[in-house]
Amino acid sequence: MSWDLSISGNGDKGRWGGWAFVGLLSVVLCWLVIGRQDRKDGREIISNTPSWTEGTFVNYISFLVQKDPSFAKESLDEMIVNVATDSLMLYNILTWSEKYFFNPNSPFRNEDFFEVLLQRALTTPVLDTLQRERYRKLLLLMQKNSIGEYATDFDFTLNNNKRFSLYNIEAEFLILFFGNPACPACKEMTDRIARSEIILNLLERKINGKPLLKVLHLYTDSNIALWYEHMAHFPSKWLNAHDKTRYIKTRELYDLKALPTLYLLDKNKKVLLKDVPFDVLEAYLLQFLNFQ
């Protein structure tokens, strides 16, 4: 047996009536799952066919990500409420949610949605001690350096061994690029940023006598010799630095679950963009450039 839960329709909430349909789909996912009215049978089928029920969940979030964020968040919150006493269903939903909303390579990645789910899940009585502690730490890490907040300060060391702090950097915009020279994706990102005409343009400009843009390219791992070996490949106009203390990683000052990771900060070090693809960051800066 299989369902096709792909949704199509007209209007902001689809022809199925938006809230009513999503609420119904939440109940289907959380309680009936695959058409069985008996909860016990449903639980057994969940255990025996995890890939099928995961597919159902994917259809559900495929619908949600097309909707207004507040609408989607309320539906997700209601879904957790519906399974607040069912440890198996809650475990499955949180596992799938982490995979699709939190994994940096997921096409559905949305940390705001995952945060809603975790906040509600932590109020339920069925999480065991280890699960509760794990999700609590994950939530705290995810909430660090959120958009609109001041970025966490840290010290960094340049290749000339001079040491500065994040808040010492003066520029209208700052690209914070966490990378590793041994990481192929990081090398590709380095090349993309270095070739970007928009970035090159902004690096040459000044506003009120101060640089319009700077790039802080930061290595947070321990193999400093490897970092020095690749120094010739890093653009000389960037601030190429490493974290000598390794506090960024060991104290989890930033959420660096995957590299490369890009942030965009304003002149006051407020977070404008957090862990975004380069295309998004470049488009943001292009929009600023078009108004100059």
Side-chain angles (χ1 to χ4, degrees):
M1 176 181 180
S2 63
W3 288 351
D4 180 6
L5 296 183
S6 301
I7 309 301
S8 62
N10 299 319
D12 182 55
K13 295 182 180 178
R15 66 184 179 89
W16 288 93
W19 273 115
F21 177 76
V22 174
L24 175 61
L25 184 53
S26 296
V27 173
V28 169
L29 277 166
C30 302
W31 295 95
L32 306 182
V33 186
I34 55 173
R36 295 292 185 93
Q37 298 293 325
D38 184 85
R39 185 177 170 205
K40 180 180 178 182
D41 288 346
R43 286 169 59 91
E44 290 174 354
I45 294 169
I46 294 166
S47 300
N48 294 332
T49 58
S51 62
W52 193 97
T53 52
E54 182 176 344
T56 307
F57 180 79
V58 171
N59 275 326
Y60 169 58
I61 65 175
S62 297
F63 171 72
L64 281 188
V65 296
Q66 301 175 52
K67 301 304 171 185
D68 180 79
S70 60
F71 168 74
K73 288 176 183 179
E74 194 160 344
S75 178
L76 290 166
D77 182 76
E78 183 180 351
M79 179 172 63
I80 298 299
V81 171
N82 286 337
V83 296
T85 58
D86 190 321
S87 59
L88 176 59
M89 278 305 306
L90 183 61
Y91 172 80
N92 282 339
I93 287 171
L94 290 177
T95 299
W96 300 330
S97 298
E98 184 172 352
K99 178 178 179 180
Y100 291 103
F101 288 146
F102 193 56
N103 187 316
N105 297 316
S106 169
F108 298 107
R109 184 183 179 191
N110 190 314
E111 291 191 5
D112 288 344
F113 288 178
F114 191 44
E115 182 176 342
V116 168
L117 290 165
L118 288 187
Q119 286 178 330
R120 176 59 70 182
L122 287 169
T123 68
T124 65
V126 296
L127 291 178
D128 63 34
T129 302
L130 291 177
Q131 289 174 327
R132 191 173 300 279
E133 182 62 15
R134 178 178 180 274
Y135 286 128
R136 186 189 67 81
K137 287 184 176 179
L138 197 58
L139 181 61
L140 289 175
L141 180 62
M142 194 164 49
Q143 290 174 333
K144 289 182 178 180
N145 304 296
S146 297
I147 292 175
E149 294 185 355
Y150 289 102
T152 303
D153 199 9
F154 56 81
D155 290 340
F156 60 88
T157 304
L158 298 174
N159 61 329
N160 60 9
N161 216 33
K162 290 185 178 180
R163 193 169 174 179
F164 299 91
S165 77
L166 175 67
Y167 279 71
N168 288 147
I169 301 173
E170 293 188 348
E172 190 72 15
F173 295 104
L174 174 65
I175 296 175
L176 192 51
F177 171 19
F178 295 97
N180 185 319
C183 155
C186 298
K187 184 180 184 304
E188 181 181 344
M189 181 65 72
T190 299
D191 293 341
R192 287 194 67 190
I193 298 174
R195 291 195 307 263
S196 168
E197 292 185 7
I198 296 168
I199 302 300
L200 290 170
N201 186 323
L202 292 174
L203 284 172
E204 296 296 330
R205 293 193 178 203
K206 291 191 175 184
I207 184 169
N208 298 324
K210 295 180 180 179
L212 188 53
L213 175 70
K214 285 189 177 181
V215 178
L216 175 57
H217 180 209
L218 194 64
Y219 174 66
T220 61
D221 287 308
S222 58
N223 192 346
I224 306 303
L226 175 69
W227 178 74
Y228 272 108
E229 285 175 15
H230 288 78
M231 186 60 59
H233 301 291
F234 303 150
S236 59
K237 291 187 177 181
W238 294 5
L239 296 170
N240 296 296
H242 65 91
D243 176 15
K244 194 171 186 177
T245 63
R246 299 201 64 222
Y247 285 166
I248 294 173
K249 198 161 190 177
T250 59
R251 297 183 180 181
E252 295 186 321
L253 300 184
Y254 285 75
D255 180 8
L256 302 178
K257 55 183 169 290
L259 296 177
T261 296
L262 295 176
Y263 284 73
L264 182 65
L265 312 182
D266 71 6
K267 62 183 178 182
N268 298 313
K269 306 303 179 286
K270 276 191 176 182
V271 179
L272 299 174
L273 298 174
K274 175 184 177 180
D275 196 5
V276 293
F278 178 64
D279 291 344
V280 174
L281 187 150
E282 189 179 45
Y284 187 101
L285 291 174
L286 176 60
Q287 188 176 30
F288 173 84
L289 197 58
N290 288 337
F291 281 99
Q292 295 302 297

